[in-house]
Structures are given as C-alpha cells and as structure tokens.
Amino acid sequence: VYMVECIQAGAHGCVPSIGNVVPEICAKLYDAIIDGNDEKIEILKKQMLDARKRVYTSGKSWFSYVSGIKSKLNEKGITGTKMAEPFVME
C-alpha cells in the first residue's frame, strides 16, 4: 500500500482497489495525509491494511483477490457474484 507515500510525494490522488470495499477509510486517510495528521494516518492505514488482508486472503489462488472484492461488493448490494468470462484473443 503506497497511498500515503504517493500523496506525500505530490500525487493528487490514488485509486486503491480496497477503496471499492472501504471507501470511507480511504477518504479519511486521504484527508489525514493532506492535513499532515501522522497519528491519524497510522490508525487509518492500519484499518485499510486490515480490510485488505481480510478481503484478499480468502484463498490461495490469485483469483481470491477478485472473488474477495466481488463478495464484499455483493454484500454491500453493489454487484452480483457472477464473474465475467476471461477475455481470450484468437
């Protein structure tokens, strides 16, 4: 997770994939970075990393990353659980 470092280095924003699941934490983290509130940054960064660990480590395959996000977004009523077919070039 490089959101903190990127914004502190001058980036205007960041689009972390876990932001789909916990946008409120990511928004608060962004505000804390802009405000220079180091204590709050560490608390929110830990919350974001904890959420990321829970979502992305649901299995041993690389696919657990995608299925973890889909599952959490389904719980929030944002999307269904059906996965798209992989794109295959002929």
Side-chain angles (χ1 to χ4, degrees):
V1 175
Y2 297 106
M3 180 175 171
V4 176
E5 293 81 1
C6 289
I7 294 171
Q8 286 176 335
H12 295 279
C14 183
V15 185
S17 58
I18 196 65
N20 291 294
V21 178
V22 289
E24 63 286 345
I25 293 174
C26 293
K28 288 177 184 177
L29 178 57
Y30 175 84
D31 290 340
I33 297 165
I34 296 303
D35 294 341
N37 187 334
D38 292 336
E39 185 177 328
K40 195 169 186 178
I41 288 170
E42 288 308 311
I43 291 167
L44 293 165
K45 186 175 177 181
K46 182 180 181 331
Q47 290 175 2
M48 190 170 79
L49 289 171
D50 288 346
R52 185 175 158 222
K53 184 177 180 182
R54 286 191 312 274
V55 171
Y56 297 154
T57 57
S58 61
K60 293 185 179 183
S61 106
W62 68 270
F63 192 70
S64 64
Y65 169 84
V66 176
S67 63
I69 285 187
K70 288 287 283 186
S71 176
K72 287 299 181 185
L73 292 177
N74 184 52
E75 285 177 14
K76 292 179 170 241
I78 295 172
T79 186
T81 56
K82 184 173 179 357
M83 303 296 285
E85 293 291 324
F87 180 74
V88 178
M89 295 197 52
E90 295 184 51

